[in-house]
Amino acid sequence: SYVLTQPPSVSVAPGKTARITCGGNNIGSKSVHWYQQKPGQAPVLVIYYDSDRPSGIPERFSGSNSGNTATLTISRVEAGDEADYYCQVWDSSSDHPGVFGTGTKVTVL
Amino acid sequence: EVQLVESGGGLVQPGGSLRLSCAASGFTFSSYWMSWVRQAPGKGLEWVANIKQDGSEKYYVDSVKGRFTISRDNAKNSLYLQMNSLRAEDTAVYYCARALVVVVAATGWFDPWGQGTLVTVSS
């Protein structure tokens, strides 16, 4: 089955830029979606179709996808951005299409 | 407002059964794929199962095949997960999520999610 690999943790100072990577074999040929999960809460979609933002998600959140790596970028990081972030693809060639990345804990210093 | 509310979690012994329910509101339930996603304590997200709008297609992660059954009742705007032969490794928070599947683009994502219901398998 398809595997998505993320770094376990990323640390960033307030006001700086955080970049969270999601690696997968030729992931650039797939659409990647990203979720934010704060402690004790359900995940929230923050990026879909590689770079589209749902309504209500700040413009500070952006995404890109090419080759073997997709990236979620959080600009002008705020304390409230501290959370776990997961990438996800839909493996339509498989009979178990839902695939999540391993997750990245973003810590705001 | 689109809302998903899970129920039915609890403590169950290994080998036991449990049925989770998810009540949907604020959208046309019968028009969407629906999914269950779980998260073991301190671990990441794991997709569990999907069901098509009319229930004609169902997909499961390998670890639950033959033990779990996803179903839906469009008249009641409800999603279910029947869990049999439960194991300690099934202990997790189970989330119900609406799946936005775009067939022509061969992609799909989950939005929104319910608040989750905790299933604990222990003797």
Side-chain angles (χ1 to χ4, degrees), chain B residues 58-116:
Chain B
K58 303 176 184 181
Y59 302 94
Y60 301 91
V61 68
D62 288 346
S63 59
V64 309
K65 282 181 182 176
R67 299 189 299 123
F68 289 12
T69 301
I70 188 172
S71 63
R72 63 192 297 163
D73 185 336
N74 288 341
K76 295 183 177 180
N77 290 338
S78 294
L79 176 72
Y80 306 101
L81 186 67
Q82 178 66 44
M83 304 185 295
N84 298 331
S85 302
L86 282 161
R87 307 167 180 167
E89 53 265 36
D90 295 319
T91 294
V93 174
Y94 285 74
Y95 294 102
C96 163
R98 183 177 67 175
L100 288 302
V101 178
V102 183
V103 176
V104 294
T107 192
W109 59 93
F110 307 101
D111 181 55
W113 300 55
Q115 85 288 350

Side-chain angles (χ1 to χ4, degrees), chain A residues 7-21 74 77-78 81-83 85 104-109:
Chain A
S9 62
V10 167
S11 298
V12 59
K16 300 300 185 182
T17 298
R19 293 180 179 85
I20 305 159
T21 59
I74 310 173
V77 166
E78 302 174 355
D81 298 330
E82 187 162 288
Y85 291 84
T104 298
K105 168 68 175 177
V106 170
T107 300
V108 181
L109 301 171

Side-chain angles (χ1 to χ4, degrees), chain A residues 30-33 35 37 40-45 47-49 54 84 86 88-92 94-103, chain B residues 33 35 37 39 43-47 50 58-62 65 95 99-102 105-116:
Chain A
K30 300 178 180 295
S31 290
V32 179
H33 320 293
Y35 304 86
Q37 186 181 32
Q41 297 184 18
V44 173
L45 180 73
I47 291 288
Y48 65 102
Y49 267 140
D84 294 326
Y86 296 89
Q88 176 252 317
V89 299
W90 193 268
D91 186 7
S92 58
S94 166
D95 64 352
H96 32 79
V99 181
F100 286 96
T102 50
Chain B
W33 285 75
S35 301
V37 178
Q39 186 170 36
K43 303 297 184 181
L45 301 173
E46 180 183 38
W47 169 81
N50 282 349
K58 303 176 184 181
Y59 302 94
Y60 301 91
V61 68
D62 288 346
K65 282 181 182 176
Y95 294 102
L100 288 302
V101 178
V102 183
T107 192
W109 59 93
F110 307 101
D111 181 55
W113 300 55
Q115 85 288 350

